[in-house]
Amino acid sequence: MQTAEAWRALFENWPESIPRAGILVASFGETIQFKDFLISGSILLVEREIPDSLGARKVLIAYDAIQAVKITAPLDLARFQVMGFQPPF
């Protein structure tokens, strides 16, 4: 699975038990804090709680421009097993 497809699958299957908030790290160097998101076939729409320096509260980003997703909620690692993560054997 390519990286863009993996990011799309992650957001499409985001479980309700994990808050839909965090920080995106984009391939163009920007970090984007978000409080919610909507999905589409090739672009993710994230909503900022606080506007950026230009006043933007919404960011549309291609899945292939996402380098990392940081989760800001203080959750135990075991809670992420619903997203397909598992401990090493």
Side-chain angles (χ1 to χ4, degrees), residues 13 17 19 33-34 37 52 55 58 65 69:
N13 299 295
S17 62
Q33 188 170 4
F34 66 95
F37 61 85
D52 66 9
K58 312 289 188 286
V69 175

Side-chain angles (χ1 to χ4, degrees), residues 2 16 18 20 22 27 44 47 54 58 62 73-74 77:
Q2 291 189 349
E16 294 203 18
I18 305 291
R20 293 170 55 140
S27 60
L44 179 69
E47 181 177 25
L54 299 173
K58 312 289 188 286
L77 282 179

Side-chain angles (χ1 to χ4, degrees), residues 4-82:
E5 293 171 4
W7 288 125
R8 184 176 64 229
L10 175 85
F11 283 99
E12 285 177 348
N13 299 295
W14 196 285
E16 294 203 18
S17 62
I18 305 291
R20 293 170 55 140
I23 301 168
L24 288 179
V25 179
S27 60
F28 45 87
E30 186 174 356
T31 56
I32 304 165
Q33 188 170 4
F34 66 95
K35 69 174 189 167
D36 203 0
F37 61 85
L38 294 173
I39 59 171
S40 76
S42 59
I43 296 175
L44 179 69
L45 169 63
V46 296
E47 181 177 25
R48 296 177 188 256
E49 188 154 351
I50 300 169
D52 66 9
S53 61
L54 299 173
R57 286 189 181 265
K58 312 289 188 286
V59 178
L60 295 123
I61 185 168
Y63 291 110
D64 62 0
I66 299 171
Q67 293 293 308
V69 175
K70 298 180 179 186
I71 305 296
T72 55
L75 303 171
D76 293 329
L77 282 179
R79 298 265 312 267
F80 292 93
Q81 289 179 326
V82 297

